[in-house]
Every structure is written in structure tokens, then in C-alpha cells.
Amino acid sequence: MASNSSAKDKLVIFDTTLRDGEQSPGASMTKDEKVRIAKMLEKLRVDVIEAGFAIASPGDFEAVKAVAEAVKDSTICSLARAVPTDIDRAGEAIKSANSGRIHTFIATSPIHMRYKLQMEPPAVLEQAIAAVKHARQYTDNVEFSLEDGSRSDFDFMCRIIEATINAGAGTINIPDTVGYGEPDEYGEMFRRVIENVPNSDKAIFSTHCHNDLGLGVSNSLSAVMNGARQIECTINGLGERAGNAALEEIVMAVRTRHDIYPVETQIELEHIVPTSRLVSSITGFPVQPNKAIVGVNAFAHESGIHQDGILKHRETYEIMRAEDVGWNTNKLVLGKHSGRAAVKARFDDLGISFESDEQFKSVFNRFKELADKKHEIFDEDLQSLIGHSDHTLADIYQFENMEILCKTGQSPHANLQLVVDGKATMTESDGAGPVDAVFKAIEKVAQSEADLKLYSVNAITAGTEAQADVTVRLESEGHIVNGVGADIDVVAASAKAYVQALNLLAAGKHKTHPQREGI
């Protein structure tokens, strides 16, 4: 950081990957997965972790509660509508947190108040004040959000902000809920609000920008230049529709352009890439190669002119160091002769810890299985082992082995051996391709009638020995699950992913939102 960093304000990083990020269709996470990500966010030194929407479902409540119990250094937050039942549930969920926050919200734009809430502005104002006061019974750390704030009437916005600060809100969030904002306009809105609200100095102002027009990060940083001191964001820009402002882009913009931005963060940069990989593996949402900071091409140079410049002086074409954000230039780390100590040490280097010896033993056994098939084990392979290892549900279906018959001009045929409720079962089917044949063979046994919403294949590393990382998204009766599988055989990885998705459906490990309101 710049030498004059002591003169800079602190920028609070509020991560909502576990709440808004999870509202991406198909990005549902189990309680254990949320805890694992939360502990990585804690290691990243995120200030506030929004762990979920406690009222949304029993599973969400338990997940928020589990994160509150597991994380000690970050503030744990639960979202709540501006109604007592939501707030009570949120208060109960964060009760065990070292530092807890309730984040309550109500829509304030004319279009939302009229068509969604069907309420007049005075009633909205009254409900907002009551909600903040109610939340203060559980914690002194209360955040109030004006849903669709960027499209709200300015005078009404100032009235409700002044009133909720007086009621006890210490953080005021003015979100760009639908990604409608433009940087100059959005930043100017913050400047005017802070200047016109008499008690604005009693609260921290926050942004929450969606990326519908690709302006989430730009809008957030514009608000910072105009007085905002908290940014709500997600790992990899995960979120509803086109996603949210990306944490890694915001943090590195502030650090790289410390000559411009009057703020600094406490983020431990070297954990950015490992956290990105973990979130991608758990949610099944791959990171595009040219994604800023965390994409595999983010620091790659193919142009001869660029390569020549880099060799002569790195800063000719690089404004950041790959190593600073967690990229490792020496990615080849382990092989089949590596022992437990070496594997554990490498996981430690990657910022990955284990809850118990049993958990590490399970991952180490998977490492040995992979090392028997793949000569060179890379960091990305280790991340994949973690992402696919924590399946504690009692599996109804288990993939054992398969035989695929393919011949040009003929339909592929799959013979599979599954274990169903502990009993070996053979199944077979033709298909349009080998993966289609495998899925149809599995369905002959499962008869789930689930709709296949996504089939995604990504190579974890380069080369012909690379593991295939497969995501299968199934929907059944309104419930969506992601099954993931990894193998050097793409068809086997596909079978594993499909079987895991069926097990998640059978175990009820899906996410439902009784209402999908959010900010």
C-alpha cells in the first residue's frame, strides 16, 4: 500500500456471495459448503460476511447459524425484510456470532412501492423505522437498505435515510438493485445524499451494485469517490441475473490505483485466487478465462511485443503481480509418490485447512486415486479435490464403472454398473453421444424425471491429462441442484456429476426461496 495509507479511510468489504451470490439460479450451497466458503472469506479478511436470508428456509437459517458459530474474525450478517418475523429469525441465527449484524430492507422506488409493495410512501417510512428499531433489540450493528435505491425519489430517499439513522441504523445501503445506474449519476447521488441528510455523519454509506449493464464495479467505485465507505460485492461477481460487483476487481482497483482512491482495505490479497477457485468449484459456475484478476488468462501474454516488454521490465504490460493475488508460477507440486505431510503442506500453502483428520484422510485418498491416473498434480487439481470431497449425505446412488462403445456412424452405447441402496445394479442405453447414453442409462434406474438445465465441462488444467470438471444442474418440482464430478475421463466425470445431482435431490439438499426478494 502507498506510504500515505494512514491518511486513507477504511473501505469496508461486505461479501454477499453466500446470500446474493447463492441466488444465482443453480448456485445453491449446502450448509457445510457455506461454512467452508465463509472460513475462506475470513482468511481473506472480509469485514462482513452476509451468510444468508435466515427466514427464507430452515436450511438457510441453519446455514447462517453455522457460519456464525464457525467464523470468529468477520462480522456475520443475515438479511431480513422489514417485518418482525424476518428480523426475529435473523436475530436468532446470528446470536452466537462474535460480531453480528442484521441487514433489513424495504423497497423505496415509486415502481416498487406501487406495484410490488402496494404501499404509500408514508407507510413505507413507518415500516422502515419500526424495522430498524426492532433489529436493535438483537444487535447494535444494524444496516438498512433502500431496495431499488438508484430509482428512488431523492427527497423521499433523504427522509427515510435520516429517519432510519435516527432509529439506530449504523450503515445505510443505497443499492442499484436492477443494474440501472451509471457511474457519474450513481456517484453524484451519494454525494448529494451525504450533503443533504443532516445526520449522515452518524452512518457508513454502502453500495450494492448489480451488473446488468456491466457497470457494477464502476458504479461502486464511483460511489466511493463520493463518500461511500462500504461496498457489497461477491467472489467472481456471482449473483442474480448478470451478477454483482466483483470483490476481486474492487479490491485490486483500490490497491493498484492507490493514487486515486482515498480508501484502503484489509483484504489479504494472496487468498483471492484460492477463494475464487473454491466458490467456482462449489457452485459449478466456471470462471471465464479472460475474467479480470482470477481468470486463467488474466496475467497471460501471447503477443510477441508484450512478451518482449515483460521480459525487459514487468511493468510495461503488467499493472499487478500475479503472485500477489494467489497465482502460483510453480504450479507443478505433487505426484503419486508424495506423502501425507507433503500434500498437507501444499494445502496449507493454498490456504486450505481441514476440520478433522478424517476429512483430510478422505481428501488424501482421493489424491492418491488421482495420482495413479495422472502423472502431474497441479494446484488446480488440489482445489478440485476439495470442491468435490465434502459429500456427507448418505448416497442412494453410487457410480462404480462403465463401458462405452462408440463407432463412427453408429449410436454410442453405455453399459454402467451402479450401486443403488447398497445393491449392485446394471443398466445400459444408447444415446446421441456417449454422455447422453450414460445419462439415459442412469435415468433408467433412477426414473427421476428431473429436467437437465445445465451440462458444463471445463478442463481443470492444461494438457491431455487434464481432469474434466463437470457440472450437471437438475431441476425437479421447482428444486434445483448442482452435481459436480471430476475425472481425467470426461464421460466418467459426467456420470459422477449426474449421480451426485440425483443424490442431492433425493436428500433434499436443494435451495428454495419462498420469496426471492433481494437487494
Side-chain angles (χ1 to χ4, degrees):
M1 195 61 67
S3 59
N4 65 341
S5 61
S6 60
K8 292 177 179 285
D9 292 339
K10 178 181 179 180
L11 179 63
V12 177
I13 299 298
F14 177 116
D15 183 277
T16 184
T17 303
L18 302 181
R19 199 277 300 170
D20 204 334
E22 191 191 27
Q23 290 182 194
S24 300
S28 298
M29 309 169 203
T30 66
K31 179 180 72 174
D32 291 341
E33 288 169 340
K34 278 196 169 188
V35 170
R36 191 192 309 152
I37 291 174
K39 295 194 78 169
M40 198 67 183
L41 293 172
E42 180 183 31
K43 190 171 291 187
L44 192 61
R45 295 193 70 195
V46 163
D47 298 286
V48 183
I49 300 172
E50 190 167 51
F53 201 160
I55 196 67
S57 69
D60 237 26
F61 173 84
E62 292 298 331
V64 176
K65 185 172 181 288
V67 170
E69 292 169 351
V71 172
K72 303 306 178 187
D73 296 332
S74 301
T75 294
I76 305 304
C77 175
S78 176
L79 190 67
R81 292 169 298 183
V83 294
T85 51
D86 279 36
I87 294 166
D88 292 341
R89 196 68 167 155
E92 179 66 22
I94 66 166
K95 185 168 61 175
S96 60
N98 276 2
S99 173
R101 175 184 293 189
I102 292 177
H103 181 189
T104 186
F105 72 97
I106 194 168
T108 57
S109 68
I111 190 170
H112 275 235
M113 289 189 291
R114 179 178 180 182
Y115 292 107
K116 187 182 75 172
L117 298 181
Q118 298 181 340
M119 293 172 64
E120 294 297 320
V124 171
L125 176 62
E126 181 180 350
Q127 188 169 327
I129 295 170
V132 171
K133 289 182 175 179
H134 192 71
R136 288 276 299 193
Q137 298 177 27
Y138 293 98
T139 176
D140 292 338
N141 193 338
V142 175
E143 176 173 342
F144 175 73
S145 284
L146 299 78
E147 185 183 9
D148 205 24
S150 59
R151 295 194 296 175
S152 297
D153 174 77
F154 182 77
D155 289 338
F156 179 63
M157 185 162 49
C158 289
R159 285 175 59 204
I160 201 168
I161 289 172
E162 181 181 2
T164 50
I165 292 174
N166 282 336
T171 302
I172 298 293
N173 181 39
I174 311 176
D176 185 27
T177 301
V178 294
Y180 183 73
E182 181 275 333
D184 289 342
E185 172 188 68
Y186 188 66
E188 176 70 5
M189 178 187 69
F190 275 84
R191 184 191 64 78
R192 290 180 64 208
V193 165
I194 292 170
E195 288 180 353
N196 283 274
V197 172
N199 56 358
S200 63
D201 61 321
K202 301 296 193 297
I204 293 173
F205 282 80
S206 175
T207 76
H208 180 113
C209 295
H210 282 264
N211 209 37
D212 298 72
L213 295 177
L215 297 172
V217 170
S218 298
N219 283 333
S220 299
L221 292 173
S222 178
V224 167
M225 296 297 289
N226 286 275
R229 289 298 179 265
Q230 175 177 285
I231 290 183
E232 303 186 8
C233 47
T234 60
I235 299 297
N236 300 335
L238 196 66
E240 288 195 271
R241 304 185 311 280
N244 289 45
L247 179 149
E248 60 277 3
E249 295 176 23
I250 288 163
V251 168
M252 292 310 295
V254 168
R255 182 185 186 274
T256 303
R257 295 308 311 269
H258 56 80
D259 57 322
I260 296 293
Y261 296 108
V263 293
E264 61 183 357
T265 77
Q266 66 175 15
I267 296 298
E268 296 284 353
L269 303 181
E270 67 269 22
H271 297 304
I272 286 177
V273 169
T275 306
S276 167
R277 293 290 178 85
L278 179 62
V279 170
S280 176
S281 180
I282 285 175
T283 61
F285 280 58
V287 176
Q288 68 193 60
N290 62 329
K291 168 75 173 64
I293 316 300
V294 294
V296 293
N297 288 350
F299 295 91
H301 301 274
E302 186 167 330
S303 163
I305 294 174
H306 286 209
Q307 291 173 343
D308 180 64
I310 287 289
L311 291 171
K312 290 176 178 175
H313 188 69
R314 181 186 61 81
E315 291 182 0
T316 54
Y317 286 101
E318 282 191 358
I319 60 173
M320 300 169 283
R321 294 188 344 132
E323 297 88 344
D324 289 346
V325 296
W327 288 107
N328 186 351
T329 54
N330 182 20
K331 294 184 178 182
L332 177 61
V333 290
L334 299 165
K336 67 179 182 179
H337 298 299
S338 299
R340 290 171 60 93
V343 174
K344 180 66 164 56
R346 190 61 199 142
F347 276 121
D348 289 341
D349 290 342
L350 293 172
I352 297 169
S353 58
F354 299 92
E355 293 296 319
S356 65
D357 290 339
E358 282 301 311
Q359 186 187 31
F360 174 68
K361 181 179 178 181
S362 173
V363 173
F364 182 73
N365 288 340
R366 289 171 59 83
F367 166 81
K368 283 297 189 181
E369 291 173 8
L370 177 61
D372 282 339
K373 303 175 184 176
K374 190 174 188 287
H375 179 62
E376 300 173 340
I377 306 296
F378 294 84
D379 287 350
E380 293 86 347
D381 295 310
L382 299 180
Q383 291 280 359
S384 176
L385 292 177
I386 291 295
H388 300 158
S389 67
D390 189 20
H391 309 313
T392 55
L393 65 159
D395 293 342
I396 294 175
Y397 306 98
Q398 296 178 38
F399 169 72
E400 289 290 299
N401 56 59
M402 66 180 184
E403 181 181 50
I404 308 295
L405 302 176
C406 292
K407 186 176 181 179
T408 303
Q410 296 182 8
S411 297
H413 185 82
N415 290 289
L416 273 74
Q417 181 178 334
L418 306 175
V419 174
V420 182
D421 284 330
K423 181 180 178 181
T425 303
M426 301 300 298
T427 180
E428 60 181 311
S429 180
D430 291 332
V435 173
D436 184 52
V438 165
F439 287 1
K440 285 178 177 176
I442 295 171
E443 272 298 321
K444 278 188 176 182
V445 175
Q447 297 182 352
S448 71
E449 299 183 359
D451 292 328
L452 179 62
K453 293 297 184 182
L454 174 72
Y455 172 70
S456 172
V457 181
N458 292 280
I460 294 175
T461 58
T464 56
E465 271 196 343
Q467 282 195 95
D469 198 349
V470 174
T471 299
V472 169
R473 185 175 302 157
L474 297 181
E475 181 175 2
S476 177
E477 298 179 350
H479 302 315
I480 295 178
V481 297
N482 280 339
V484 290
D487 199 284
I488 59 173
D489 183 335
V490 67
V491 183
S494 302
K496 292 176 181 179
Y498 198 96
V499 164
Q500 192 200 62
L502 290 175
N503 284 322
L504 290 169
L505 278 177
K509 298 287 187 177
H510 46 70
K511 178 68 179 286
T512 56
H513 292 271
Q515 55 78 40
R516 290 187 60 86
E517 284 186 282
I519 55 172

